[in-house]
Amino acid sequence: MLSHWTTFAAYNAWANRRLYDAVAALPADDFARDGGAFFRSLKGTLNHLAVTDEIWLDRLRGGFEPPRRLDDVPYPEFAALRSVRTTLDAALEAHVAELTPDDLDRELRFRRQASPEPIRQRVGPALAHLFNHQTHHRGQAHALLTQFGGPEAGPPLDLLLYLRETGAA
């Protein structure tokens, strides 16, 4: 099962690199342009993903209180956000690589911003949520890319493409 999570961590980093390369190719004004997505823009959506990864990495490392709000935009400039994204992806890959089979059943305890009661969550399902959440919002960012730059602006992000490109298929 650990290979499943290391594959997803590597895929996540790969997909984020492709997505950020595509965002960088758009006119700079499109980064903050409101496209009607849940977090309005590429800036809002990609900041949300960075913030949630910071929160989940903190929880995986034993943190209890969320270090940020889910709608924070701590990285308003694309270059800084891209740098943080690279750092977060590397940290997530490193964390997953250090997990043991027993770690997947370990219980996390944390508090959500939306409610005061403590939450208990096993690491394995938490990782499933984290990677699924990334895919969900990456899809929204991809839709904004194609809305602003046309169908060619959105790179293929399929897991099977990643597996073929990296030889892991």
Side-chain angles (χ1 to χ4, degrees), residues 30-52:
D30 284 342
F31 177 60
R33 183 174 162 191
D34 187 339
F38 189 83
F39 289 95
R40 312 306 306 161
S41 63
L42 287 162
K43 178 171 85 171
T45 302
L46 298 178
N47 266 276
H48 171 70
L49 284 174
V51 165
T52 56

Side-chain angles (χ1 to χ4, degrees), residues 24-157:
L26 288 175
D29 290 345
D30 284 342
F31 177 60
R33 183 174 162 191
D34 187 339
F38 189 83
F39 289 95
R40 312 306 306 161
S41 63
L42 287 162
K43 178 171 85 171
T45 302
L46 298 178
N47 266 276
H48 171 70
L49 284 174
V51 165
T52 56
D53 276 6
E54 289 172 344
I55 291 170
W56 277 106
L57 277 166
D58 183 65
R59 288 172 179 167
L60 290 165
R61 294 171 176 155
F64 186 75
E65 295 289 339
R68 296 193 188 273
R69 293 185 46 82
L70 295 174
D71 59 353
D72 282 353
V73 180
Y75 312 106
E77 302 300 323
F78 178 71
L81 179 61
R82 188 177 206 172
S83 177
V84 165
R85 176 78 268 154
T86 300
T87 300
L88 286 168
D89 287 341
L92 191 55
E93 282 188 277
H95 185 84
V96 169
E98 293 173 0
L99 293 175
T100 67
D102 289 341
D103 287 330
L104 296 176
D105 286 326
R106 183 172 46 88
E107 187 176 84
L108 303 173
R109 294 196 52 181
F110 57 89
R111 188 182 323 274
R112 295 174 48 228
Q113 294 166 349
S115 57
E117 73 276 353
I119 304 290
R120 293 174 178 215
Q121 177 67 61
R122 287 187 359 264
V123 169
L127 290 173
H129 168 74
L130 187 155
F131 292 125
N132 187 60
H133 181 261
Q134 277 279 336
T135 300
H136 167 70
H137 286 295
R138 243 191 331 262
Q140 291 176 336
H142 192 278
L144 291 170
L145 275 168
T146 59
Q147 178 182 338
F148 301 156
E152 315 79 40
L157 300 176

Side-chain angles (χ1 to χ4, degrees), residues 151-166:
E152 315 79 40
L157 300 176
D158 295 336
L159 175 63
L160 292 178
L161 177 61
Y162 163 76
L163 294 172
R164 286 193 305 273
E165 282 191 0
T166 60

